[in-house]
Amino acid sequence: MQANPAFMQMAIDLATKNVTTSAGGPFGAVIVRAGKVIATGVNSVTANNDPTAHAEVMAIREACRLLSTFQLTGCEIYTSCEPCPMCLAAIYWSRCEAIYFGNTAADAAKAGFDDSFLYHEVKKPHAERTIPTSRLLPQQAIVSFNTWCELTERIDY
Amino acid sequence: MQANPAFMQMAIDLATKNVTTSAGGPFGAVIVRAGKVIATGVNSVTANNDPTAHAEVMAIREACRLLSTFQLTGCEIYTSCEPCPMCLAAIYWSRCEAIYFGNTAADAAKAGFDDSFLYHEVKKPHAERTIPTSRLLPQQAIVSFNTWCELTERIDY
């Protein structure tokens, strides 16, 4: 697949417009398949009261809704900023096949966002993370997975 | 804050029921504030055609909707499985203050889920990741952040 800078410019313009219209943070994303825009997204955290409503997540959700699928095979994502760990993992779960980004996580950090911090946190063992993390009831919890593995008919994802 | 195993059992029961009702994957989450359940979530990826609809993300979205906020200060999350990187970062963005989990990412891997793989991917530099990742138009992209930083009135998040 070949990068098309026009789609990156579209993501950047969405990001800038999201700021100038006071709709949200400076982030935009575009999902493309076979040279055509499938869906776009902008940061909608404060507008939607949804901390997960980053541009990439919004674009993935919209593309999946429009295509009636939970997997974006054959799609690429153009995002005005390097995906945060939430968005990066969302892109993996969505099965998008390429990522193009404009700003870096370090640029985002300079603008006051936690992206770089989160990359550091995700890499740490539980005990060293800022949010206290503990394990409870492991013997009970495994029952859910055993039930899943014993299922004869299921939709894997 | 003190862990309450009853909330973990609730998350586990939600996860198991999500499987036995063929609604989705074996994952459940409960968000608690001051000893009371604020919201719950179950894995709804295939049901909703939304690859971001993991139990923790669903619970965070629902809690924020019910509380009309984008920040869950004072809340804790109980999740039947260690959050994947998407959900972990979503928890950070949501400002939840404690994480309790049952199964581990390694348990999830044994049941066929990509959680451990994603923890490895997130830690890698771009060039070594499975999804090809490249930077485009950095000089144009920074305009979005500059516009944000110059804004006199904005809602930080």
Side-chain angles (χ1 to χ4, degrees):
Chain A
M1 287 187 276
Q2 186 83 34
N4 183 338
F7 295 127
M8 178 57 73
Q9 190 60 56
M10 186 184 295
I12 295 166
D13 291 343
L14 284 166
T16 305
K17 190 179 169 199
N18 205 43
V19 176
T20 55
T21 57
S22 297
F27 302 92
V30 177
I31 290 177
V32 173
R33 191 176 61 180
K36 289 194 179 153
V37 173
I38 302 290
T40 66
V42 291
N43 182 283
S44 307
V45 169
T46 54
N48 291 9
N49 276 335
D50 180 356
T52 74
H54 286 199
E56 298 93 326
V57 165
M58 295 295 284
I60 288 168
R61 295 177 79 192
E62 181 66 359
C64 287
R65 191 184 70 77
L66 291 168
L67 299 176
S68 300
T69 179
F70 55 88
Q71 298 205 327
L72 297 174
T73 316
C75 292
E76 303 172 287
I77 188 162
Y78 290 76
T79 172
S80 65
C81 182
E82 181 181 352
C84 81
M86 175 178 76
C87 293
L88 180 66
I91 291 166
Y92 274 86
W93 287 119
S94 79
R95 316 298 178 197
C96 273
E97 293 176 10
I99 301 171
Y100 304 107
F101 69 95
N103 293 308
T104 63
D107 294 327
K110 280 184 215 152
F113 298 99
D114 284 345
D115 302 50
S116 284
F117 165 72
L118 288 184
Y119 271 104
H120 289 298
E121 286 290 305
V122 166
K123 290 174 187 173
K124 290 180 184 169
H126 296 157
E128 292 172 23
R129 289 193 189 141
T130 306
I131 302 183
T133 302
S134 358
R135 194 172 186 197
L136 291 177
L137 307 186
Q139 288 179 312
Q140 289 88 333
I142 200 69
V143 170
S144 307
F145 281 161
N146 290 344
T147 307
W148 173 258
C149 292
E150 288 160 10
L151 217 58
T152 49
E153 288 188 27
R154 64 179 193 226
I155 306 175
D156 286 325
Y157 60 90
Chain B
M1 286 186 278
Q2 185 84 32
N4 182 338
F7 295 127
M8 178 57 73
Q9 189 61 55
M10 186 184 295
I12 295 166
D13 291 344
L14 285 166
T16 305
K17 190 179 167 198
N18 205 44
V19 176
T20 55
T21 57
S22 297
F27 301 92
V30 177
I31 290 177
V32 173
R33 190 175 63 181
K36 287 192 180 156
V37 173
I38 301 291
T40 65
V42 291
N43 182 285
S44 307
V45 168
T46 54
N48 291 10
N49 276 335
D50 180 355
T52 74
H54 285 197
E56 298 92 325
V57 166
M58 294 295 284
I60 288 168
R61 284 186 185 144
E62 181 66 0
C64 287
R65 191 184 69 78
L66 291 168
L67 299 176
S68 300
T69 178
F70 55 87
Q71 300 205 325
L72 297 174
T73 316
C75 292
E76 303 171 286
I77 188 162
Y78 290 77
T79 172
S80 64
C81 182
E82 181 181 353
C84 80
M86 175 179 77
C87 293
L88 180 66
I91 291 166
Y92 273 87
W93 288 118
S94 77
R95 315 298 178 198
C96 273
E97 294 175 9
I99 300 171
Y100 304 107
F101 68 96
N103 293 308
T104 63
D107 293 327
K110 279 183 218 154
F113 298 99
D114 283 346
D115 302 51
S116 285
F117 165 72
L118 288 184
Y119 271 104
H120 289 299
E121 286 290 304
V122 166
K123 291 175 187 173
K124 291 179 183 169
H126 296 157
E128 293 173 22
R129 289 191 189 142
T130 306
I131 302 184
T133 302
S134 358
R135 193 172 186 197
L136 291 177
L137 307 186
Q139 288 178 311
Q140 290 87 332
I142 201 70
V143 171
S144 307
F145 281 160
N146 292 342
T147 308
W148 172 259
C149 291
E150 287 160 9
L151 217 60
T152 50
E153 289 188 26
R154 64 179 193 226
I155 307 176
D156 287 325
Y157 60 90

